């Protein structure tokens, strides 16, 4: 939610990015599935069918449930119950079955399980921003944490995450057996949301999808975060707070701008908005420098565009500003470096781990047929006050 948006595409060519890009961004080469390396093709010299003198690798047969039962000296029913956590078994029998299965490398046949359950247990994941640079969202501290927490939470619920490029094209996901899709921070009128819902794939996103059939949401209260942060700066004596924000059409950034304007009107303060045209430390630092050289200069900065907090402090020092003596700073950031900057930087966390937990729980409940899973969740951002905005 804190990185710059690029227009998302809806065609057979992925759109180019905004400033700083030179054309359609290439999708990284597909990663081969984990498993044994396979030599030359079957039927060729040295291939798997070339006989004992060939150099190809022939995978070992899959261990079956009956093999585990035979090795453990238990019935197939008992082993099945032990591995599924069901049945009335003693702790010793259950432990023996589980340990034998682990030692032999047994794992259930996923195809058979998916056929029985009617699901592939796959959740797609795509970031609505960065369509021109499909994989760069992992450079963002916020999206890196959101992605990691989403993958870990999904796995705990028995689902695997399928990473899709930002601005993903229909042909890239149409044949994947996705049970649901997470669209993080869609841009306004994002065709991705429309396409997934049209394909009858449940979607989890922010509150921009509220009320849509098949859509579920978790969001952060952006207006409240703006009011708390600006109120904190105001209480410390700041009367000319400036906003540095991405030039983005995501719901979060639109709400931030609106809330800032409303707050300024209420407090008789002049609006001082500097829009960042592209993501990354360079564009954000340049925007900070632009904001600080205004006449008259601001006495506080609320930096919503994501950048390294120490670099924001460096920019202020280069322009002769003393933080927090004549400039107070609050950054929206998940970057741990904020606590180690000079001075330590006050931050607003958008709570990516909690967003992931609540969102995946909603999707899993919806897939299980739980009607309550359709309710939205609104979280409160967390302001961590440090020396950069401390009151004198």
């Amino acid at each position: 939610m804190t990185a710059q948006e690029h227009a998302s595409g809806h065609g057979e060519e992925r759109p180019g990015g905004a400033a700083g890009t030179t054309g359609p961004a290439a999708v990284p080469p597909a990663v081969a599935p984990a498993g044994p390396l396979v030599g030359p093709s079957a039927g060729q010299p040295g291939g798997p069918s070339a006989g004992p003198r060939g150099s190809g690798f022939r995978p070992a047969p899959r261990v079956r449930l009956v093999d585990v039962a035979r090795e453990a000296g238990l019935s197939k029913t008992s082993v099945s119950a032990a591995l599924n956590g069901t049945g009335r078994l003693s702790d010793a029998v259950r432990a023996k079955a589980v340990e034998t299965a682990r030692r032999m490398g047994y794992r259930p046949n996923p195809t058979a399980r998916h056929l029985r359950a009617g699901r592939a247990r796959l959740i797609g994941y795509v970031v609505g921003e960065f369509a021109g640079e499909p994989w760069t969202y992992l450079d963002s501290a916020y999206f890196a944490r959101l992605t990691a927490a989403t993958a870990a939470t999904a796995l705990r619920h028995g689902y695997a995450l399928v990473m899709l490029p930002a601005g993903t094209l229909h042909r890239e996901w149409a044949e994947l057996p996705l049970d649901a899709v997470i669209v993080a921070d869609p841009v306004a009128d994002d065709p991705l949301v429309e396409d997934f819902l049209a394909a009858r794939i449940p979607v989890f996103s922010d509150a921009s999808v509220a009320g849509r059939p098949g859509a579920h949401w978790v969001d952060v209260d952006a207006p409240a975060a703006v009011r708390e942060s600006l109120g904190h700066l105001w209480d410390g004596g700041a009367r000319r707070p400036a906003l540095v924000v991405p030039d983005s059409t995501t719901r979060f950034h639109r709400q931030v701008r609106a809330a800032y304007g409303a707050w300024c009107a209420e407090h008789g303060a002049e609006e001082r908005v500097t829009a960042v045209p592209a993501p990354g430390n360079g564009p954000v630092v340049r925007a900070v420098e632009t904001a600080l050289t205004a006449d008259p200069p601001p006495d506080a900065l609320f930096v919503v565009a994501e950048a390294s907090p120490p670099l924001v402090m460096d920019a202020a020092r280069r322009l002769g500003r003393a933080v927090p003596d004549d400039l107070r700073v609050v950054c929206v950031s998940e970057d741990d470096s904020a606590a180690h900057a000079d001075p330590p930087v006050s931050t607003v966390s958008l709570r990516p781990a909690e967003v992931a937990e609540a969102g995946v729980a909603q999707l899993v409940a919806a897939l299980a047929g739980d009607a309550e899973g359709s309710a939205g969740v609104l979280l409160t951002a967390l302001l961590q006050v440090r020396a950069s905005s401390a009151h004198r």
Side-chain angles (χ1 to χ4, degrees), residues 84-141:
N84 288 306
T86 60
R88 303 177 67 178
L89 304 173
S90 69
D91 291 344
V93 168
R94 193 179 301 277
K96 184 176 184 180
V98 170
E99 173 57 23
T100 303
R102 185 203 63 77
R103 178 168 49 81
M104 296 180 68
Y106 169 78
R107 61 189 181 93
N109 186 318
T111 302
R113 296 187 73 178
H114 297 162
L115 287 173
R116 288 195 300 269
R119 295 196 186 98
R121 306 196 75 80
L122 298 177
I123 295 177
Y125 179 87
V126 60
V127 175
E129 301 193 69
F130 306 106
E133 300 173 18
W135 299 102
T136 57
Y137 61 82
L138 290 176
D139 293 336
S140 153

Side-chain angles (χ1 to χ4, degrees), residues 34-69:
L37 296 176
V38 179
S41 302
Q44 295 180 357
S49 62
R53 294 188 180 183
S55 60
F57 176 80
R58 186 183 298 278
R62 177 184 289 271
V63 177
R64 302 168 301 167
L65 191 67
V66 67
D67 299 324
V68 176

